[in-house]
Amino acid sequence: MREQILDVFNAEVSKGAMLSKLQELGILSLDNELCKDTLAPLTSYLGMPGNPDKGGIEFNEYVKRQNLHRLAERTAVEDLLRLGADQPILADSSGSFCELFTAGDPTFAALKDRFLVVSLRENDELVNNLIARYVENPKPIYYPPDLLSEYWGEFSAAVGNQDRNVDPRKFALWSYKKLVSVRRDKFADLAKHSDISIPAANLRYA
């Protein structure tokens, strides 16, 4: 997604004094390259749908970027299977994994053949902490097309069926809470097919 992200940022820079802001946020380095050790470029690129006067982007553009995000995430996971087997590999999947792969997906089966699949069991406290962290610092989120359409339709209808009436941050927080609930069930199903399942709370002591 590097080229698509840079195209958007370059367009913003050309409008005025945006370059220093992007560098300040850790999105671009001093030589105007994307910073690779942070999710800031992806977060800024994906954005949030809604009123542009409040930092939102047009919904159809948001859907386009979501589709690119989906392709990039699937490609990243599938690239693991192309890596050489001559050294240990630790892969930490994103929260989108359960949206992109099911237990019956051939890629998931191939990952199980190649790797030891470890699932982390959550609890209500950890989920509430996850939501609290998102409220404080929203991160890039992938929505399955059907859920995104459903959430957007429901939320925008409540504010008058006008995209420009949607507060992007309010929509993001409202939809994220619903998405987390759906993902808990999807990850629980994947966990049934993992090799090891451990409580995520135990990691704090690891």
Side-chain angles (χ1 to χ4, degrees):
M1 295 179 66
R2 178 181 179 279
E3 291 184 4
Q4 290 90 346
I5 294 176
L6 280 175
D7 284 345
V8 170
F9 291 160
N10 286 335
E12 291 298 320
V13 168
S14 68
K15 296 177 183 178
M18 186 70 180
L19 179 58
S20 60
K21 183 64 175 178
L22 293 173
Q23 292 174 343
E24 177 185 335
L25 294 173
I27 296 171
L28 292 180
S29 62
L30 292 177
D31 57 359
N32 296 347
E33 281 296 310
L34 291 178
C35 295
K36 299 178 181 179
D37 298 327
T38 173
L39 286 174
L42 181 59
T43 301
S44 297
Y45 172 74
L46 289 177
M48 300 176 183
N51 190 337
D53 295 334
K54 295 183 178 181
I57 60 176
E58 195 268 331
F59 183 69
N60 288 336
E61 176 62 21
Y62 183 74
V63 171
K64 173 186 173 182
R65 297 182 187 188
Q66 283 278 303
N67 290 336
L68 287 172
H69 186 194
R70 178 181 187 278
L71 177 61
E73 287 238 27
R74 283 198 65 99
T75 301
V77 172
E78 290 164 356
D79 281 348
L80 286 172
L81 300 172
R82 303 185 182 97
L83 297 177
D86 56 344
Q87 59 182 355
I89 298 172
L90 174 63
D92 178 12
S93 71
S94 72
S96 306
F97 188 91
C98 67
E99 309 289 2
L100 305 175
F101 303 97
T102 64
D105 191 295
T107 299
F108 183 74
L111 287 172
K112 279 183 58 67
D113 287 341
R114 173 76 184 278
F115 298 96
L116 182 73
V117 178
V118 179
S119 66
L120 305 179
R121 298 197 302 273
E122 34 66 33
N123 56 34
D124 290 342
E125 179 184 1
L126 288 173
V127 170
N128 289 334
N129 288 339
L130 181 68
I131 293 173
R133 290 202 303 270
Y134 183 82
V135 170
E136 181 178 346
N137 183 29
K139 294 182 178 180
I141 296 296
Y142 171 75
Y143 293 90
D146 57 338
L147 284 185
L148 177 59
S149 179
E150 175 188 329
Y151 293 168
W152 182 253
E154 182 179 345
F155 192 87
S156 60
V159 297
N161 280 322
Q162 295 292 324
D163 292 3
R164 291 186 63 87
N165 290 340
V166 175
D167 183 312
R169 186 172 179 84
K170 288 182 179 179
F171 171 73
L173 298 179
W174 175 85
S175 59
Y176 180 74
K177 292 175 182 178
K178 293 172 71 70
L179 183 67
V180 167
S181 178
V182 172
R183 284 186 174 182
R184 293 184 78 172
D185 292 336
K186 291 181 177 179
F187 271 119
D189 183 62
L190 281 173
K192 298 175 183 176
H193 302 274
S194 62
D195 298 302
I196 299 175
S197 179
I198 61 176
N202 288 359
L203 295 182
R204 69 184 65 177
Y205 305 111

